[in-house]
Amino acid sequence: MTVIVLSGPIGAGKSSLTGILSKYLGTKPFYESVDDNPVLPLFYADPKKYAFLLQVYFLNTRFHSIKAALTEGNNVLDRSIYEDALFFQMNADIGRATKEEVDTYYELLNNMMNELDRMPKKNPDLLVHINVSYDTMINRIQKRGRPYEQLSYDSTLEDYYKRLLRYYKPWYEKYDYSPKMEIDGDKYDFMSSEEDREIVLDQIVDKLKEVGKLPLDWDKSTDIQIEA
Ligand SMILES: Nc1ncnc2c1ncn2[C@@H]1O[C@H](COP(=O)(O)OP(=O)(O)OP(=O)(O)O)[C@@H](O)[C@H]1O
Ligand SMILES: Nc1nc(=O)c2ncn([C@H]3C[C@H](O)[C@@H](CO)O3)c2[nH]1
């Protein structure tokens, strides 16, 4: 059993790479709840009011996915639970949560982490972090086109996104729940370029081999078709 988690800022390419990687390794993808998430548009419309609710929503849905992913088969998850606190702390730092919400959130998170600790498999086998610059992040957010994430929707989003990138750097450096690796999301267009896709997949496969976690039942499929 091999569990891989993707990490990285908004629009870095986690869901896209989750799809590619899970197809390539013949594993199951677990996606973050976004299009079916009723709180996300509320949050972008009124962040101060909905930051706490959104965080609890994500924590709950991620916990469900993790429980399923850590109990059966080989899986790829498109964002790690370890990034949840990064988002919440950043929102709290810019005044979008009360002290009571902060305390309650961390108690809940700790509680959930303790539950994960009691599971047969506690941590993922590999974290694949996608690094992107601010310009790439914005281009991808525009390309994907969720209305409430666009800079034109809210003039404070530029600062929010730049701040998010600043929070990610130390977060990745400190991360030690599993082996980890970085993918250069500025350099490799794994969506349109087959050559780039192969390079990125090779990097991940090499790392899985290095840590002894390449799925034994892995059936390499050579041709990954990307749906437009
Ligand atoms: N390496 C890449 N090269 C070119 N385009 C990419 C790359 N990665 C992702 N994209 C495109 O960027 C957009 C955002 O990608 P995706 O939804 O996978 O990001 P994400 O990290 O899952 O975002 P979020 O954190 O918001 O869930 C999509 O339109 C996708 O096709
Ligand atoms: N505030 C907040 N906390 C989280 O834990 C979190 N996880 C994801 N997101 C937002 C980013 C993208 O818009 C969108 C898809 O990733 O959802 C979050 N926002």
Side-chain angles (χ1 to χ4, degrees), residues 8-11 14-15 32-34 37 40 43-44 50-51 54-55 58-59 62 78-79 83-88 90-91 96 105 141 144 146 148-149 160-161 164 168:
I10 300 169
K14 299 176 297 299
S15 307
E32 191 177 42
S33 161
V34 177
N37 182 330
L40 200 55
F43 167 76
Y44 278 96
Y50 290 106
L54 178 63
Q55 213 60 48
F58 269 123
L59 196 52
R62 253 190 266 288
D78 99 336
R79 185 172 248 139
E83 285 158 276
D84 268 57
L86 177 163
F87 268 94
F88 187 60
M90 182 179 88
N91 276 285
R96 294 172 171 184
Y105 174 73
I141 287 172
R144 185 175 53 200
R146 285 182 202 136
Y148 48 78
E149 289 177 346
Y160 186 72
Y161 292 152
L164 187 66
Y168 259 102

Side-chain angles (χ1 to χ4, degrees), residues 184 186-203:
D184 187 338
D186 286 350
K187 186 170 173 188
Y188 299 116
D189 179 347
F190 45 74
M191 293 308 286
S192 321
S193 158
E194 210 173 313
E195 195 188 337
D196 283 5
R197 194 152 56 240
E198 263 178 38
I199 294 171
V200 166
L201 287 170
D202 281 349
Q203 289 174 355

Side-chain angles (χ1 to χ4, degrees), residues 46-57:
D46 191 344
K48 202 166 177 172
K49 184 167 175 189
Y50 290 106
F52 179 73
L53 178 61
L54 178 63
Q55 213 60 48
V56 170
Y57 181 94

Side-chain angles (χ1 to χ4, degrees), residues 131-197:
N131 261 322
V132 283
S133 61
Y134 176 73
D135 287 347
T136 300
M137 180 181 179
I138 294 302
N139 284 338
R140 304 260 164 88
I141 287 172
Q142 282 172 351
K143 181 177 168 193
R144 185 175 53 200
R146 285 182 202 136
Y148 48 78
E149 289 177 346
Q150 305 308 313
L151 295 179
S152 54
Y153 183 78
D154 172 356
S155 61
T156 67
L157 279 175
E158 179 176 343
D159 179 61
Y160 186 72
Y161 292 152
K162 285 183 174 162
R163 188 180 281 268
L164 187 66
L165 289 177
R166 287 201 300 277
Y167 275 62
Y168 259 102
K169 202 173 161 19
W171 175 87
Y172 178 74
E173 278 159 16
K174 251 181 88 182
Y175 174 90
D176 64 356
Y177 291 95
S178 70
K180 58 186 177 182
M181 64 176 292
E182 288 177 273
I183 296 290
D184 187 338
D186 286 350
K187 186 170 173 188
Y188 299 116
D189 179 347
F190 45 74
M191 293 308 286
S192 321
S193 158
E194 210 173 313
E195 195 188 337
D196 283 5
R197 194 152 56 240

